[in-house]
Amino acid sequence: MSLGPWQLIIIAIVILVLFGRGRISEMMGDFGKGINSFKKGMNEDEKSDSAPSKPAGQIEPPAADVKAKSEDQATKPADNS
């Protein structure tokens, strides 16, 4: 069972009555912005894949952890066995 042109027109009229013209145009605008954003993200992803990748930098611990470790090492006696 397929939808004919008259059934589609009736469905469109019911949707227009339920949501109103302003709300439908707002939703379509948001939908268009979403598609554009998706395409832009896909293009940026393709550009980053074609560019040579940079090596990841070394992750450093927070300064508080470094300070605590250096104080622990300073207070421990040296093991000269």
Side-chain angles (χ1 to χ4, degrees), residues 45-56:
D45 188 41
E46 288 176 1
K47 288 178 184 178
S48 68
D49 286 345
S50 63
S53 61
K54 297 178 183 177

Side-chain angles (χ1 to χ4, degrees), residues 43-76:
N43 287 337
E44 289 176 357
D45 188 41
E46 288 176 1
K47 288 178 184 178
S48 68
D49 286 345
S50 63
S53 61
K54 297 178 183 177
Q58 183 178 0
I59 299 174
E60 297 180 14
D65 291 343
V66 173
K67 184 178 179 182
K69 286 183 181 179
S70 63
E71 288 175 358
D72 288 344
Q73 291 175 353
T75 57
K76 290 182 182 178

Side-chain angles (χ1 to χ4, degrees), residues 7-35:
Q7 287 89 4
L8 293 175
I9 291 172
I10 292 172
I11 291 171
I13 291 172
V14 169
I15 290 174
L16 185 62
V17 168
L18 288 176
F19 292 108
R21 187 178 60 112
R23 178 73 178 139
I24 292 174
S25 64
E26 180 183 326
M27 287 189 313
M28 290 298 112
D30 291 343
F31 184 70
K33 289 176 185 176
I35 291 174

